[in-house]
Amino acid sequence: MRIGLTVPSFKWPGGPGQIGEHLARIASTADQAGLASLWVMDHFFQARNNGRPEDPMLDGYTALSFAAAHTSRISLGTLCTGVTYRHPGLLGKLITSLDVLSKGRTYLGIGAAWYEEEHTGLGVPFPPVAERFERLEETLQIILKMFSDDQTPHLGRHYRLDRPLNSPPPVGRVDADRPHPPILIGGSGERKTLRLVAQYGDACNLFDTPDLPRKLTVLREHCARLGRPYEAIEKTALTNFPWKDDPRNDPKAAVAHLTRLAGWGIEHAVVAMPGIHRPDAIAALAKVAEEVADVPPQEH
């Protein structure tokens, strides 16, 4: 099992003037500790499940670019970019630029968007859910076109790109058949989201909830219908380490927590834990990551 770290909040000691210092230390420490990935949310406002909308929230790709300059090995991505946030042509260019500058360490994390308050607050259109999923599928088609250097026009229902030129091309690659940065699609909707994962994605991102094994079963069924190998999809899950499972407090509980996810079929756990700006946080998580590195995911 691979272990990543997510940064869900920038409310750290010292206020805005110290955010950069904290983020640089977190990114470089996670990189040096051997963690597999580093993630940030892509939101305009802080999500209410993590704090108040008024709490500090950085632009996701600015934060990742900053992190890329302080790291050399760790993978970087958002959990997740809402399809409504940026025009797909600009998003393709943005992801490719980050991938080139990080030497192929970028995931494209994307989803249908859900946080209406931040959209209305900044005047960003927030279409109905059905349209957001239409836009998500069309955006995935456009991004894959840009990744493949196909410059033929895209004339879709929601977007028109006369020449989706993308130079320089990305340097990251999933494998020989998909020579581009991995596309991670976040969400657990069984009818639409998991079908999009099977059709377009290289990774899913699910929540650590009791129905997670069933979600993976549904994903397998979508893959079978579409003729896509289920094994080609990286199974990731976002999991929260409360204080009782925090590796600083109880490493055995943290190992058990992650082993349970592997037993459900998860290959890559993205961990949220409190106090990640503290010097001991990432070191403790890295020790737990070593403990579970050889724990294989169980197929269902």
Side-chain angles (χ1 to χ4, degrees):
M1 171 176 269
R2 303 168 67 213
I3 305 300
L5 176 70
T6 185
V7 182
S9 172
F10 301 97
K11 190 178 181 181
W12 295 320
Q18 296 299 309
I19 288 176
E21 182 178 328
H22 286 298
L23 182 57
R25 183 172 61 252
I26 290 167
S28 62
T29 303
D31 188 54
Q32 294 166 13
L35 295 183
S37 57
L38 180 70
W39 307 81
V40 297
M41 296 195 302
D42 194 15
H43 280 301
F44 308 141
F45 296 172
Q46 176 60 276
R48 288 190 178 274
N49 58 317
N50 287 321
R52 305 175 307 148
E54 298 81 8
D55 287 344
M57 177 53 58
L58 299 181
D59 170 76
Y61 290 101
T62 303
L64 289 179
S65 298
F66 181 82
H70 289 86
T71 57
S72 61
R73 186 202 58 84
I74 199 166
S75 296
L76 305 164
T78 63
L79 292 177
C80 284
T81 289
V83 70
T84 51
Y85 294 168
R86 299 170 186 86
H87 186 281
L90 300 182
L91 179 60
K93 187 67 178 178
L94 186 61
I95 289 292
T96 299
S97 298
L98 178 60
D99 190 65
V100 167
L101 293 175
S102 67
K103 298 184 179 180
R105 294 187 284 129
T106 302
Y107 279 83
L108 168 57
I110 193 167
W114 58 270
Y115 195 1
E116 184 173 7
E117 181 180 357
E118 65 181 356
H119 288 74
T120 57
L122 295 187
V124 177
F126 188 71
V129 64
E131 181 179 331
R132 297 202 306 275
F133 275 98
E134 291 174 0
R135 288 177 178 272
L136 177 57
E137 183 160 16
E138 194 172 337
T139 293
L140 290 165
Q141 294 166 353
I142 292 167
I143 295 290
L144 285 169
K145 179 188 282 281
M146 294 180 70
F147 282 168
S148 69
D149 196 31
D150 178 355
Q151 298 180 36
T152 58
H154 173 88
L155 306 176
R157 180 173 182 178
H158 298 287
Y159 305 105
R160 173 175 178 142
L161 287 74
D162 289 343
R163 187 190 180 195
L165 173 65
N166 191 31
S167 179
V171 297
R173 55 191 296 120
V174 181
D175 54 38
D177 295 327
R178 295 172 73 84
H180 57 71
I183 297 173
L184 177 147
I185 300 174
S188 57
E190 296 182 7
R191 187 169 63 90
K192 293 183 179 180
T193 303
L194 295 179
R195 191 267 299 173
L196 292 174
V197 173
Q199 187 166 354
Y200 300 101
D202 304 295
C204 65
N205 185 251
L206 302 170
F207 292 111
D208 179 3
T209 56
D211 64 352
L212 192 156
R214 184 170 64 83
K215 301 296 183 181
L216 290 176
T217 297
V218 171
L219 175 59
R220 182 188 290 274
E221 293 168 352
H222 281 301
C223 286
R225 280 193 293 272
L226 292 166
R228 181 88 186 277
Y230 175 74
E231 297 74 20
I233 308 296
E234 183 183 10
K235 290 81 178 176
T236 82
L238 178 62
T239 187
N240 181 57
F241 268 1
W243 282 112
K244 67 181 181 64
D245 289 345
D246 192 301
R248 289 165 289 190
N249 298 330
D250 192 342
K252 291 184 178 179
V255 169
H257 186 124
L258 296 169
T259 301
R260 171 178 56 82
L261 286 177
W264 285 352
I266 295 301
E267 306 166 69
H268 188 164
V270 180
V271 173
M273 53 191 290
I276 59 171
H277 64 281
R278 290 169 37 188
D280 60 342
I282 295 172
L285 180 60
K287 290 181 180 178
V288 168
E290 291 178 3
E291 290 287 326
V292 300
D294 295 327
V295 176
Q298 301 299 311
E299 295 292 339
H300 291 274

